[in-house]
Amino acid sequence: MIENQHVTITVSGKGSTQDEAVSRALSKIQKQIFSEINQLVIRAEPENIEEVEATMEEYTERFFFLFMPRKKLNCHVTLKVDVNLKTIDSAKFNWQKKGSHHPLRRGIRGRNRSYSN
């Protein structure tokens, strides 16, 4: 019933520090897995993380283009992550249909008729 799968996904993230960029990329793993896999994921365990691209952009920010210069940093990282998944396919369950009556479709037979004739 439980199936093991091995998936490789690519995620990216950006932030004002290196740690923030990596953290944002890693937080996108679960969302990416759910968008690609059409089964219920019980467990997702990253096995290997490989850097595809990591860039840092440093620039000087100024107030009114002249006053109070300060250095700013933008980091962008792209990671390739190998993930071991444990999934379960809900279509393989032995689903049984039960007849149920909708409460608004019962009609007059199901109601108390003591108030009429």
Side-chain angles (χ1 to χ4, degrees):
M1 176 112 0
I2 295 178
E3 299 174 5
N4 289 324
Q5 293 183 7
H6 190 75
V7 179
T8 302
I9 59 172
T10 304
V11 290
S12 62
K14 50 185 166 174
S16 58
T17 64
Q18 296 171 354
D19 291 338
E20 185 180 349
V22 172
S23 176
R24 287 188 179 176
L26 293 177
S27 69
K28 293 178 183 179
I29 291 175
Q30 185 176 12
K31 185 177 181 182
Q32 182 94 14
I33 289 171
F34 286 140
S35 69
E36 292 181 8
I37 304 291
N38 292 333
Q39 297 177 344
L40 299 173
V41 177
I42 296 174
R43 183 177 178 145
E45 183 178 342
E47 289 183 343
N48 187 23
I49 298 175
E50 182 181 322
E51 171 192 330
V52 175
E53 180 185 10
T55 58
M56 283 192 327
E57 178 188 350
E58 188 174 329
Y59 62 95
T60 303
E61 183 181 71
R62 299 171 193 263
F63 182 68
F64 282 123
F65 303 105
L66 185 62
F67 303 109
M68 299 172 17
R70 63 179 175 179
K71 303 259 185 209
K72 288 289 219 169
L73 190 66
N74 280 339
C75 299
H76 182 270
V77 67
T78 303
L79 303 172
K80 188 164 88 172
V81 183
D82 295 329
V83 182
N84 189 18
L85 299 175
K86 289 190 178 185
T87 61
I88 189 166
D89 191 4
S90 62
K92 291 184 179 178
F93 288 141
N94 186 14
W95 295 99
Q96 298 175 2
K97 281 191 173 182
K98 285 189 173 182
S100 64
H101 299 287
H102 194 278
L104 297 176
R105 296 183 186 170
R106 287 179 63 182
I108 297 177
R109 282 182 258 159
R111 294 186 184 146
N112 186 359
R113 287 190 256 161
S114 62
Y115 59 85
S116 62
N117 294 338

